[in-house]
Amino acid sequence: MRLLASLRLGGLSAAMALMALPFAASAQPSADVVGAIRARGALICGVTPATVGFATPGSDGQFRGIDADYCRAIAAAMLGDAGKARITPTTTQQRFTLLQSGEIDLLSRVTTWTLSREAALGLAFAAVNVHDGQGFLVKAASGVKSAKELDGASICMQPGSTTELNASDWFRTQGMTMTPVLIEDIEEARKAFFSGRCDAFSTDATSLAALRYNQGANADQYVVLPEVISKEPLGVAVRKGDWRFFDIVRWTHFALLTAEELGLTAENIDAQANSPNPDVQRFMGKTGDLGKMLGLERDWAVRVVKAVGNYGEIWDRNLAPLGIQRGLNNLWNKGGVHYAPPMR
């Protein structure tokens, strides 16, 4: 990855160089990630350093956001204690190297699931926790109302992500040009936009909405343009090799969705122990051997919900306050695409 970080193809950054290297070296499979986590007594989880709604440190040093909550949910499932999630900030450029090398167990970091990342980097995406798409943020004073008015604009963005490739493809398709202003540190990239070094800032639309919201009384000075130029399934990734760990991560995600579908919340789940609903009984570990199949305790899913709530509670706590609508991220029976296979 250090080599990739230094590559440039016709002025394009490492993320775009990776797309041109279909036979990039894969990470070596890990023999027993689950065993290593349990022996350590902690799940090491990589998150973004500071993206409101996804992962950002509070005054107490604890990370909050949907990605951080997923780390805690998986720790609760595996180790019985959400507090055993060791949440570690990672940069855009470092995140895959840290996961490949085993320095982190899991990546839950506004990271788009793509073919090249899964096939070439030795990673497996176990879940999509947010369905997103790339957009543009501009200053209201610019008068720009559409991304199609950005011909010739300078665009602040991070290298080492899908953002640059998406923007390059979209501008080319529209017969337009742009000048990418590539800044690795996310805070520096944001500052560059606010200070006027570029005409627009581009990243996932949810992150743009969060950035605008974070400006407080000045939020109205910025506009998220209506165009969404890409599909960005933001996923939770692990190294290939320990498929038992993959299963635990994937089914923790499905447990969060299933809990919302069944109406199980952090507040009421204990009271559901005697529910006559067979699906609730299986979820609670009262019947069946779902936990045993995953190598977990019978009440693993209950521990998950008690720790972080169901998916809807996680969304309402972290993203709804930013004004981000659920849209595609609703459950399948509410017009969205989140759909959990049966837990049976």
Short mmCIF file of all heavy atoms in Angstrom, two decimals, residues 239-264:
data_model
loop_
_atom_site.label_atom_id
_atom_site.label_comp_id
_atom_site.label_asym_id
_atom_site.label_seq_id
_atom_site.Cartn_x
_atom_site.Cartn_y
_atom_site.Cartn_z
N ARG A 239 -10.62 -9.08 6.97
CA ARG A 239 -9.69 -9.82 6.11
C ARG A 239 -10.30 -11.15 5.72
O ARG A 239 -11.00 -11.79 6.51
CB ARG A 239 -8.36 -10.08 6.84
CG ARG A 239 -7.53 -8.87 7.11
CD ARG A 239 -6.17 -9.24 7.72
NE ARG A 239 -6.32 -9.97 8.98
CZ ARG A 239 -6.60 -9.40 10.15
NH1 ARG A 239 -6.83 -8.09 10.21
NH2 ARG A 239 -6.68 -10.11 11.24
N LYS A 240 -10.02 -11.58 4.50
CA LYS A 240 -10.44 -12.92 4.12
C LYS A 240 -9.61 -13.95 4.89
O LYS A 240 -8.45 -13.71 5.19
CB LYS A 240 -10.26 -13.13 2.62
CG LYS A 240 -11.25 -12.35 1.77
CD LYS A 240 -11.00 -12.57 0.28
CE LYS A 240 -12.01 -11.80 -0.55
NZ LYS A 240 -11.75 -11.89 -1.99
N GLY A 241 -10.22 -15.07 5.19
CA GLY A 241 -9.47 -16.13 5.85
C GLY A 241 -10.22 -16.77 6.98
O GLY A 241 -10.39 -17.99 7.01
N ASP A 242 -10.72 -15.97 7.92
CA ASP A 242 -11.50 -16.51 9.04
C ASP A 242 -12.97 -16.25 8.75
O ASP A 242 -13.51 -15.21 9.10
CB ASP A 242 -11.08 -15.87 10.36
CG ASP A 242 -11.75 -16.54 11.57
OD1 ASP A 242 -12.76 -17.25 11.36
OD2 ASP A 242 -11.27 -16.37 12.70
N TRP A 243 -13.62 -17.21 8.12
CA TRP A 243 -15.01 -17.02 7.72
C TRP A 243 -15.96 -17.09 8.91
O TRP A 243 -17.09 -16.62 8.83
CB TRP A 243 -15.37 -18.02 6.63
CG TRP A 243 -14.58 -17.74 5.40
CD1 TRP A 243 -13.56 -18.48 4.88
CD2 TRP A 243 -14.69 -16.59 4.54
NE1 TRP A 243 -13.02 -17.88 3.76
CE2 TRP A 243 -13.70 -16.72 3.53
CE3 TRP A 243 -15.51 -15.47 4.53
CZ2 TRP A 243 -13.52 -15.78 2.52
CZ3 TRP A 243 -15.35 -14.53 3.52
CH2 TRP A 243 -14.37 -14.68 2.53
N ARG A 244 -15.50 -17.65 10.01
CA ARG A 244 -16.31 -17.62 11.23
C ARG A 244 -16.46 -16.18 11.71
O ARG A 244 -17.54 -15.74 12.11
CB ARG A 244 -15.69 -18.49 12.31
CG ARG A 244 -16.50 -18.56 13.60
CD ARG A 244 -15.99 -19.60 14.55
NE ARG A 244 -14.57 -19.42 14.88
CZ ARG A 244 -14.05 -19.68 16.08
NH1 ARG A 244 -14.81 -20.12 17.05
NH2 ARG A 244 -12.77 -19.52 16.29
N PHE A 245 -15.37 -15.42 11.66
CA PHE A 245 -15.43 -14.01 12.03
C PHE A 245 -16.31 -13.24 11.06
O PHE A 245 -17.14 -12.41 11.47
CB PHE A 245 -14.02 -13.43 12.06
CG PHE A 245 -13.94 -11.99 12.50
CD1 PHE A 245 -14.60 -11.56 13.63
CD2 PHE A 245 -13.19 -11.07 11.79
CE1 PHE A 245 -14.54 -10.24 14.05
CE2 PHE A 245 -13.11 -9.74 12.20
CZ PHE A 245 -13.79 -9.33 13.32
N PHE A 246 -16.18 -13.53 9.77
CA PHE A 246 -17.03 -12.91 8.76
C PHE A 246 -18.49 -13.15 9.08
O PHE A 246 -19.31 -12.23 9.03
CB PHE A 246 -16.67 -13.48 7.39
CG PHE A 246 -17.54 -13.01 6.26
CD1 PHE A 246 -17.21 -11.89 5.53
CD2 PHE A 246 -18.70 -13.71 5.90
CE1 PHE A 246 -18.01 -11.45 4.48
CE2 PHE A 246 -19.50 -13.29 4.86
CZ PHE A 246 -19.15 -12.15 4.14
N ASP A 247 -18.85 -14.38 9.42
CA ASP A 247 -20.23 -14.71 9.75
C ASP A 247 -20.73 -13.91 10.96
O ASP A 247 -21.88 -13.43 10.98
CB ASP A 247 -20.38 -16.20 10.04
CG ASP A 247 -20.33 -17.06 8.78
OD1 ASP A 247 -20.48 -16.51 7.68
OD2 ASP A 247 -20.15 -18.28 8.91
N ILE A 248 -19.89 -13.78 11.97
CA ILE A 248 -20.29 -13.04 13.18
C ILE A 248 -20.58 -11.58 12.84
O ILE A 248 -21.58 -11.01 13.27
CB ILE A 248 -19.21 -13.15 14.27
CG1 ILE A 248 -19.14 -14.58 14.81
CG2 ILE A 248 -19.48 -12.16 15.41
CD1 ILE A 248 -17.95 -14.84 15.71
N VAL A 249 -19.70 -10.97 12.05
CA VAL A 249 -19.88 -9.56 11.67
C VAL A 249 -21.15 -9.40 10.82
O VAL A 249 -21.97 -8.51 11.07
CB VAL A 249 -18.65 -9.05 10.91
CG1 VAL A 249 -18.89 -7.63 10.39
CG2 VAL A 249 -17.41 -9.08 11.81
N ARG A 250 -21.31 -10.28 9.84
CA ARG A 250 -22.48 -10.19 8.95
C ARG A 250 -23.78 -10.36 9.73
O ARG A 250 -24.72 -9.59 9.57
CB ARG A 250 -22.38 -11.25 7.85
CG ARG A 250 -23.69 -11.46 7.10
CD ARG A 250 -23.51 -12.37 5.91
NE ARG A 250 -22.94 -11.63 4.79
CZ ARG A 250 -22.74 -12.16 3.57
NH1 ARG A 250 -23.02 -13.43 3.36
NH2 ARG A 250 -22.25 -11.44 2.60
N TRP A 251 -23.83 -11.36 10.62
CA TRP A 251 -25.08 -11.63 11.30
C TRP A 251 -25.35 -10.68 12.46
O TRP A 251 -26.49 -10.52 12.90
CB TRP A 251 -25.16 -13.10 11.72
CG TRP A 251 -25.51 -13.93 10.51
CD1 TRP A 251 -24.64 -14.58 9.68
CD2 TRP A 251 -26.81 -14.11 9.95
NE1 TRP A 251 -25.32 -15.17 8.65
CE2 TRP A 251 -26.66 -14.90 8.78
CE3 TRP A 251 -28.08 -13.68 10.31
CZ2 TRP A 251 -27.75 -15.27 7.99
CZ3 TRP A 251 -29.17 -14.05 9.53
CH2 TRP A 251 -28.99 -14.84 8.38
N THR A 252 -24.32 -9.99 12.93
CA THR A 252 -24.56 -8.89 13.87
C THR A 252 -25.32 -7.78 13.16
O THR A 252 -26.28 -7.21 13.71
CB THR A 252 -23.24 -8.36 14.45
OG1 THR A 252 -22.59 -9.41 15.19
CG2 THR A 252 -23.48 -7.17 15.37
N HIS A 253 -24.91 -7.48 11.94
CA HIS A 253 -25.65 -6.49 11.13
C HIS A 253 -27.09 -6.94 10.92
O HIS A 253 -28.04 -6.16 11.12
CB HIS A 253 -24.94 -6.31 9.79
CG HIS A 253 -25.73 -5.57 8.76
ND1 HIS A 253 -26.07 -4.24 8.88
CD2 HIS A 253 -26.27 -5.99 7.58
CE1 HIS A 253 -26.77 -3.86 7.82
NE2 HIS A 253 -26.91 -4.90 7.03
N PHE A 254 -27.27 -8.20 10.53
CA PHE A 254 -28.63 -8.70 10.30
C PHE A 254 -29.45 -8.70 11.59
O PHE A 254 -30.67 -8.50 11.55
CB PHE A 254 -28.58 -10.09 9.69
CG PHE A 254 -28.12 -10.13 8.26
CD1 PHE A 254 -27.43 -11.23 7.76
CD2 PHE A 254 -28.40 -9.08 7.39
CE1 PHE A 254 -27.02 -11.28 6.43
CE2 PHE A 254 -27.97 -9.11 6.06
CZ PHE A 254 -27.28 -10.22 5.58
N ALA A 255 -28.80 -8.94 12.72
CA ALA A 255 -29.52 -8.90 14.00
C ALA A 255 -30.04 -7.50 14.28
O ALA A 255 -31.16 -7.33 14.81
CB ALA A 255 -28.61 -9.36 15.13
N LEU A 256 -29.27 -6.47 13.94
CA LEU A 256 -29.71 -5.09 14.14
C LEU A 256 -30.95 -4.78 13.30
O LEU A 256 -31.88 -4.12 13.76
CB LEU A 256 -28.58 -4.12 13.80
CG LEU A 256 -27.37 -4.15 14.73
CD1 LEU A 256 -26.21 -3.35 14.12
CD2 LEU A 256 -27.72 -3.62 16.11
N LEU A 257 -30.95 -5.26 12.05
CA LEU A 257 -32.10 -5.05 11.17
C LEU A 257 -33.31 -5.85 11.66
O LEU A 257 -34.44 -5.35 11.69
CB LEU A 257 -31.76 -5.47 9.74
CG LEU A 257 -30.62 -4.72 9.04
CD1 LEU A 257 -30.45 -5.27 7.62
CD2 LEU A 257 -30.86 -3.23 9.01
N THR A 258 -33.06 -7.11 12.04
CA THR A 258 -34.15 -7.98 12.49
C THR A 258 -34.79 -7.43 13.76
O THR A 258 -36.02 -7.47 13.92
CB THR A 258 -33.63 -9.40 12.73
OG1 THR A 258 -33.08 -9.92 11.51
CG2 THR A 258 -34.73 -10.32 13.22
N ALA A 259 -33.97 -6.91 14.66
CA ALA A 259 -34.50 -6.34 15.90
C ALA A 259 -35.45 -5.19 15.59
O ALA A 259 -36.54 -5.08 16.19
CB ALA A 259 -33.36 -5.86 16.80
N GLU A 260 -35.07 -4.33 14.65
CA GLU A 260 -35.98 -3.23 14.29
C GLU A 260 -37.27 -3.78 13.69
O GLU A 260 -38.37 -3.31 14.02
CB GLU A 260 -35.30 -2.28 13.30
CG GLU A 260 -36.22 -1.10 12.96
CD GLU A 260 -35.60 -0.09 12.01
OE1 GLU A 260 -34.50 -0.36 11.46
OE2 GLU A 260 -36.22 0.96 11.80
N GLU A 261 -37.15 -4.77 12.82
CA GLU A 261 -38.33 -5.35 12.19
C GLU A 261 -39.27 -5.97 13.22
O GLU A 261 -40.50 -5.88 13.09
CB GLU A 261 -37.90 -6.40 11.16
CG GLU A 261 -39.03 -6.93 10.32
CD GLU A 261 -38.53 -7.84 9.21
OE1 GLU A 261 -37.35 -7.74 8.83
OE2 GLU A 261 -39.34 -8.65 8.73
N LEU A 262 -38.70 -6.58 14.26
CA LEU A 262 -39.51 -7.23 15.30
C LEU A 262 -39.95 -6.26 16.40
O LEU A 262 -40.68 -6.66 17.31
CB LEU A 262 -38.71 -8.38 15.93
CG LEU A 262 -38.40 -9.57 15.02
CD1 LEU A 262 -37.47 -10.55 15.74
CD2 LEU A 262 -39.68 -10.26 14.57
N GLY A 263 -39.50 -5.01 16.33
CA GLY A 263 -39.85 -4.04 17.35
C GLY A 263 -39.09 -4.21 18.65
O GLY A 263 -39.54 -3.76 19.71
N LEU A 264 -37.93 -4.83 18.59
CA LEU A 264 -37.10 -5.05 19.78
C LEU A 264 -36.13 -3.88 19.93
O LEU A 264 -35.38 -3.56 19.01
CB LEU A 264 -36.31 -6.35 19.65
CG LEU A 264 -37.15 -7.62 19.46
CD1 LEU A 264 -36.25 -8.82 19.20
CD2 LEU A 264 -38.04 -7.87 20.67
#
